[in-house]
Amino acid sequence: MRAGITDASAPCSFVDGVRLGRGPLLRVTNPADLSTVAEVPTAEPADFQRAVRAARRAFDGWSRTPAAERASLVLAFLSALEARRGRLEDTIVAETGALLSSARTLQVAGAIEHARAAVRIHASLPEEEHNPVPLDGLVAGGRVAASVLSWEPLGVVAAMPAYNVPLFLALWKVVPALLTGNTVVLRPSPLAPMAVLAAGEAAEEAGLPPGVLNVLAEEGTAGAVLMTTAPEVDAVSFTGSSAVGAAIAIQAAPTHKRLMLELGGKSAGVYLPDAVEAAADGIAVVMRAMAGQGCVLQTRVLVPQESKGRVLRDAADRVAALRLGDPRDPATDVGPLISDAQVRRCEDHVAAALAHGGRVVAGGRARRDLGGHFFEPTVVDLDDTANPLAQEETFGPVVSVIGYRDLDHAVELANDTVYGLSGAVFGAADRALAVARRIRSGAVLVNGGYFGPFASSGGWRHSGRSRERGREGIRAYQQVKHLTAVSR
């Protein structure tokens, strides 16, 4: 067991305001040392059905609750989470293998900060807006007509975050949904359920009405399938792989659910000639960020062909200096992957890259001798984007470096992918912005750009649909009603 986490203190599922204390046990494993973090009672399919029905019953009352009152309860919910901050940090490190520094800043404090900003953003958005029409359309039979757009909740939202930043992703979904009057059934990833399950405790403590936020863990997928197919569910918000996202879209289609999908990515980091010296450090950033387990990370690095050799040498030196190990140790740079299956995926992708002409210049091996799910930070030299490593999402500390002839070629390489989640361009601002505008992606950072609660992100093509964060991330959980009225 990790410090501060025991079976007795492990959070449990909540349905309709009631704790589920029994059910098949899900063993949560620490990926750094393969110890058992806790055994968490899980929900069965019947419990998921109860949760969906409870959310449906609670919807009418919650959606009619004044927005300011909903916001006050959401803020109380976030305060209850913040009161658990130390325990949540320990939990996230233990169940995901995230570096302790990441757990403290991004995964807990950052998650709560973003969620509180969402409350402010929602308060700034009108519930109704005048809808201008031509002057000759304002009069109907001699009477003045009004045209208004009303922003209203969707209904019951099924929310399913990924394992890499579990609480952060959960709050991106839950908080906008609750603020806008929806009720939620929240299912964490079976690989990292504990921090998300703590949301049920926080909701109970904050006084959210029963059924407004239901949180259920499971080991398999039966509950998730029920959430995506149940006619009582109006929307599905999911973060995960493109393959699972496609399956969800098929499951949700017969009942025409709203879909908010943040899926896979193979983001390009384009380094212009004047920024080549930053490429090696950029590659190291990818390795340090959740051991490369991030869909927005720039795992395809594009540099001028004439500078590629120098970039590869610098990257090899920089990556070789990164230390694998215990995520609680401040000296550790790269922690473990979530599972051995993810380690094997990295092994398979590197092998496929080599079989198609790639060359490993740093790393390239699993490190099971360290006692956990570790894979060496790896840099692979590729000739072009035809190599499978440049096309398939690895989700690990594996970065490819590809040379480009000129900026047109750089744009062509960046866009040579089925994904379109994120990307980055580094260089003089005017030229970098011009390149960024040509990249087909839902978000592009220029020289680091901005990642925060006031700007939305979202995927194109195989990277998903809809937006999260910012104004668009709030409006995603609403639907528009057009109201017209005339005087009698």
Side-chain angles (χ1 to χ4, degrees):
M1 303 286 180
R2 302 302 297 179
I5 302 172
T6 67
D7 286 337
S9 65
C12 60
S13 300
F14 275 77
V15 174
D16 206 11
V18 177
R19 296 170 181 246
L20 299 183
R22 296 182 179 179
L25 294 178
L26 169 62
R27 180 173 178 261
V28 181
T29 302
N30 186 322
D33 60 16
L34 308 188
S35 64
T36 297
V37 177
E39 291 186 326
V40 178
T42 60
E44 298 179 330
D47 298 317
F48 280 86
Q49 185 64 66
R50 284 176 50 211
V52 167
R53 289 172 179 166
R56 173 53 60 196
R57 287 194 304 271
F59 171 70
D60 286 344
W62 181 249
S63 62
R64 291 198 300 267
T65 300
E69 185 176 339
R70 292 199 303 264
S72 179
L73 286 167
V74 168
L75 288 172
F77 162 68
L78 295 174
S79 294
L81 282 175
E82 188 167 39
R84 293 163 168 79
R85 181 170 171 176
R87 185 179 125 196
L88 287 170
E89 291 168 359
D90 285 341
T91 298
I92 287 170
V93 173
E95 67 179 345
T96 71
L99 299 183
L100 181 57
S101 57
S102 169
R104 286 175 173 166
T105 55
L106 172 69
Q107 301 222 28
V108 179
I112 294 170
E113 176 190 349
H114 276 221
R116 286 186 171 138
V119 177
R120 300 198 300 274
I121 295 168
H122 176 255
S124 73
L125 299 177
E127 293 185 1
E128 292 186 348
E129 297 178 281
H130 290 292
N131 181 56
V133 297
L135 286 175
D136 57 4
L138 286 174
V139 179
R143 295 173 293 174
V144 176
S147 173
V148 174
L149 297 179
S150 175
W151 293 91
E152 302 189 2
L154 300 171
V156 176
V157 174
M160 292 180 280
Y163 67 78
N164 53 343
V165 277
L167 183 64
F168 202 107
L169 294 173
L171 292 184
W172 276 6
K173 302 173 189 306
V174 168
V175 168
L178 295 181
L179 288 171
T180 49
N182 301 280
T183 53
V184 179
V185 180
L186 173 63
R187 174 197 178 271
S189 165
L191 294 171
M194 294 179 62
V196 176
L197 283 173
E201 295 177 1
E204 180 187 46
E205 183 177 306
L208 264 67
V212 168
L213 176 58
N214 308 273
V215 191
L216 301 92
E218 68 170 341
E219 186 168 12
T221 60
V225 172
L226 189 149
M227 291 166 67
T228 58
T229 57
E232 299 94 339
V233 173
D234 300 282
V236 178
S237 181
F238 169 79
T239 301
S241 73
S242 297
V244 175
I248 288 173
I250 292 170
Q251 293 160 12
T255 48
H256 299 281
K257 302 184 192 309
R258 171 80 62 86
L259 295 179
M260 291 83 88
L261 304 175
E262 188 197 37
L263 307 178
K266 197 69 180 178
S267 301
V270 181
Y271 290 83
L272 303 189
D274 61 308
V276 164
E277 71 282 353
D281 282 340
I283 291 169
V285 167
V286 173
M287 311 299 189
R288 291 176 55 90
M290 297 162 291
Q293 296 171 109
C295 50
V296 300
L297 297 176
Q298 298 136 35
T299 54
R300 293 183 301 145
V301 170
L302 310 181
V303 298
Q305 185 65 47
E306 62 272 17
S307 302
K308 184 181 177 184
R310 174 160 58 93
V311 169
L312 288 168
R313 290 190 296 273
D314 291 347
D317 291 342
R318 183 72 177 85
V319 168
L322 297 176
R323 179 178 171 183
L324 279 167
D326 182 354
R328 291 182 171 278
D329 186 342
T332 295
D333 297 301
V334 181
L337 300 179
I338 193 67
S339 66
D340 191 60
Q342 204 58 37
V343 173
R344 293 196 304 271
R345 183 178 179 88
C346 291
E347 289 180 306
D348 292 344
H349 280 209
V350 171
L354 297 179
H356 288 79
R359 183 173 66 92
V360 172
V361 298
R365 298 179 302 144
R367 291 296 307 275
R368 295 181 177 87
D369 58 299
L370 296 177
H373 302 313
F374 291 95
F375 194 85
E376 291 178 336
T378 300
V379 179
V380 184
D381 175 10
L382 301 184
D383 291 332
D384 52 44
T385 52
N387 192 291
L389 185 61
Q391 294 296 326
E392 299 175 12
E393 184 180 42
T394 304
F395 225 61
V398 180
V399 173
S400 59
V401 178
I402 306 168
Y404 63 80
R405 298 185 300 272
D406 52 35
L407 294 187
D408 287 340
H409 189 216
V411 171
E412 177 186 337
L413 293 173
N415 290 336
D416 184 18
T417 173
V418 297
Y419 297 106
L421 184 59
S422 186
V425 184
F426 300 89
D430 54 347
R431 297 181 72 198
L433 281 168
V435 172
R437 289 191 172 99
R438 297 173 62 189
I439 294 177
R440 290 180 47 77
S441 181
V444 183
L445 306 177
V446 174
N447 295 324
Y450 170 80
F451 174 82
F454 296 95
S456 70
S457 65
W460 294 4
R461 305 192 302 283
H462 288 215
S463 290
R465 64 179 76 177
S466 193
R467 309 290 290 184
E468 292 190 304
R469 305 193 318 275
R471 292 169 54 95
E472 296 84 3
I474 301 290
R475 291 303 196 198
Y477 291 89
Q478 296 177 305
Q479 54 193 342
V480 178
K481 177 187 290 180
H482 183 216
L483 298 172
T484 58
V486 296
S487 59
R488 297 189 62 182

